[in-house]
Amino acid sequence: MIRSILLVAALVSAASARVLMDSLAAVPRGWESVRRALPDETVSLRIALRQQRAEDLEQAVLEISTPGQPKYGKHLTRDELRSYTAPSKSATLAVTRWLENHNIQSAVVDNDWVSFSTTVGNASDLLKTDFAWYQNVESGSELKLRTLAYSVPDEIAPHIDLVQPTTRFGQPVAQRSTIFEMHHLDNEAANKIKFAAGTAEGCNHTITPDCLKWLYDIKYTPTNAVQNTIAFASFLEQYARYDDFQTFQSMYVPEAQGQNFTVELVNGGLDDQNSWRDSGEANLDIQYILGISHPIPILQYSTGGRGPLIPTTTQPTPPGTNEPYFEWLTYLLNQTDDKIPKVISVSYGEEEQSIPRDYAVKVCNMFMQLGARGVSVIFASGDSGPGNSCIRSTDNATYFEPTFPAGCPYVTAVGATYLTNPERAIGFSSGGFSMYHPRPKWQRSAVEPYLRSIGDTYAPFFDPRGRAIPDIAAQGSSFNVIDKGWNSLLSGTSASAPVVAGIVGLLNAARYTQGLPSLGFLNPWLYNNSDAFTDVVAGAGIGCRKRKELKHGASWNATVGWDPVTGLGTPKFGRLLEIAAPGVANA
C-alpha cells in the first residue's frame, strides 16, 4: 500500500507536465509482488488512440441494430468501420514522435492502435512508473509484468485512451460452476442418459442436444450453411479435441457424423491435441454448438496470452503476453468481411471491478465494433449469483460483483436455468448491474419494473443505474460432454452461452435463405421481442454467503418479467424464427 501511494504521489508531483492516466490504491486482491523488473527486460505495450467519431459510431450501431429503424440490418464493412474509429493524423503523429523521443523506433500503427516492444527501463521512463513481476496467489504460477500507476505528458493525454497491459491484472476464467464439479460417467450411466434424452423426466437430470431441441422447440435444419460460421473463443490453453468431437457426434448427434471444425491461432495460441491441461470448457463449447446448429461450420479461436513461469532477460515476455482480449479482438476486427464469423460464443469472464475502468470501456467499444459489422457476441453471465466474496476493492465494503465482459451493453449476456416443467433459475447463475456501463435505453422499460418491485432491497450493494445482466437464459446444468474419452457432466453459464450461439446461428441461416443480413448486435432486437422467450419465474441466483451484513447471503430472484438471474427468459425457437425469418418453416 505504501509503495503504491508513493508511486501515485510521485506522478502527481510532476504536476502540470503530466496526466495520471490510471492508478491502483494497492496490489489487487489475489496478487502479490514477486520482484522488481530489471531495466533490460522486455515489455510489450499497446496504446489505444482516441477515435475521432466514437459517438457517431455508437449512434450508427444503434440504428443498425434496432428494429424499425431505416438502417436496421445495414451493417458496416471493415473499411466503413475504420472511418469511424480512425484517430486524427495529428494524434498519430504526436504519439509516434513521443515514442521516437524515447528511443522507440519500431512502433506499429494500425488505425487506432500503436503497438511496440521496448525495455522495461525505456517504458518506465516513458510512463514515469516502476514495473514489477506479480504472481497470482491462487494459481501459484501466473506471473505478470505490471505497474500500479502510469502517466503521460499533458500534450499526449488528449490523444490516447489507455496504455495496456499496465494496471490490468485480471485474467479470464471459464464460467463453470464450482457447485457441480465435472465428473465422469460409466458406460451404463451414459447409455441410460442417451435413452432418456428428449423426455421431460430424463432432461430434468441431465442435458443432451435432444433435450435442448425438445425443450426449446428447435426443428429447423439449415440446407445451405457454408457461409454461416459460428465461432467460439478458447483461452488459457483450452483446446477442443477432435477425437472427443467425433465421439460426441456418434453418441448424441449421429446425423452430424463427418462434420469437423477449424482452428485459428491468435497471439501464440496452440492446437495441442495431447495437452495434459483441462479441455472440458472447449469441448463443451464445440459439442453443444454442433448439437444445436449442425451442419453450420464451427471455428475455434485458440488465443494465447500467458507469460513464462520464470521470466528473465533471456526469456522475455512475447508481444501481447497476458493480454488476450486486445489481441483477440484486434485480430477479429482485422478480418475481411467474408472471413469474420457472424456469431461468437465466449464462456469466460471475471469480476468487473478487477478490470480498470478505461480498459473495460475500450474492450466494450471493440465489441460494439463487432456489432457494427453484423456479429452477435454471446457471453456467459458468470457462476456466482450476485457475487462471490462481494467485497468492493476500493473500500472493502460489501458490494455485489457484476461480471466482465458480460456487463458490456454490446454483448448478449446469458444466465442459466435447470429443470424443464417449468424451468427454474439455478443458484449459480450470475446477474446484476454494471459498475462501469450505464443502462442503455433499449433495456430500460424491461428492467425498471423489476427495480420498482424490489424497492430498497440491497440498495447499498449495487448501482441501479447500471447496465443490467443477463439479457436471456438457457439450460446450464449437467450437460453431457465427451472429454478425454470420458462421458462427463459439466454445469455453468459456460454451457448456456454456446446453446444460445447455436440458436442465433440457425436464425441467421434462415435469414440468409431470404436474402436478409445476419442479426448482428442482438440486444435491441431481443428486448423488442420479449414474447419470444419463456418467462422464468422460479428459482434464484445466490451468492455473497460470507458477508455479515447479508447473514445468509444474497439472492436475485427469478420473477415475472426481466430479472437479474434469467433476464427475459429462455428461447422459444419457433417464435424467434417467425420474427427473424418470416415464412421459414421450423422443420
Side-chain angles (χ1 to χ4, degrees), residues 418-442:
Y418 75 121
L419 301 179
T420 63
N421 190 26
E423 289 184 83
R424 295 173 60 92
I426 197 164
F428 59 71
S429 182
S430 284
F433 301 83
S434 173
M435 302 170 69
Y436 295 157
H437 305 286
R439 181 154 54 256
K441 62 182 180 181
W442 42 259

Side-chain angles (χ1 to χ4, degrees), residues 98-222:
W98 173 51
L99 296 177
E100 290 169 357
N101 290 337
H102 285 79
N103 299 315
I104 300 169
Q105 308 293 331
S106 57
V108 176
V109 180
D110 182 8
N111 201 42
D112 56 331
W113 289 97
V114 179
S115 305
F116 63 95
S117 294
T118 188
T119 64
V120 165
N122 240 3
S124 297
D125 183 54
L126 182 78
L127 302 175
K128 292 295 182 286
T129 191
D130 292 320
F131 284 91
W133 288 101
Y134 295 88
Q135 184 174 48
N136 185 282
V137 176
E138 293 182 3
S139 69
S141 61
E142 180 72 5
L143 290 167
K144 294 187 177 184
L145 184 61
R146 294 293 186 267
T147 183
L148 300 182
Y150 71 96
S151 70
V152 300
D154 273 357
E155 65 273 17
I156 297 299
H159 300 310
I160 69 175
D161 289 327
L162 53 79
V163 182
Q164 289 290 352
T166 49
T167 55
R168 190 272 204 257
F169 278 72
Q171 66 185 27
V173 295
Q175 298 298 322
R176 191 188 303 168
S177 171
T178 57
I179 301 171
F180 300 96
E181 296 290 348
M182 180 175 73
H183 62 277
H184 301 313
L185 302 174
D186 58 30
N187 289 335
E188 182 180 355
N191 287 331
K192 287 181 179 179
I193 289 169
K194 183 177 179 182
F195 179 78
T199 67
E201 182 58 29
C203 298
N204 273 331
H205 299 289
T206 56
I207 293 296
T208 67
D210 283 347
C211 286
L212 296 165
K213 290 182 175 181
W214 163 74
L215 181 60
Y216 297 140
D217 187 33
I218 302 171
K219 302 170 185 174
Y220 174 70
T221 300

Side-chain angles (χ1 to χ4, degrees), residues 431-476:
F433 301 83
S434 173
M435 302 170 69
Y436 295 157
H437 305 286
R439 181 154 54 256
K441 62 182 180 181
W442 42 259
Q443 197 180 44
R444 291 172 190 165
S445 63
V447 173
E448 287 169 5
Y450 175 82
L451 290 171
R452 288 195 295 270
S453 73
I454 65 171
D456 293 333
T457 306
Y458 301 140
F461 309 132
F462 72 97
D463 184 351
R465 301 165 299 178
R467 181 274 204 267
I469 58 174
D471 299 297
I472 56 176
Q475 288 280 314

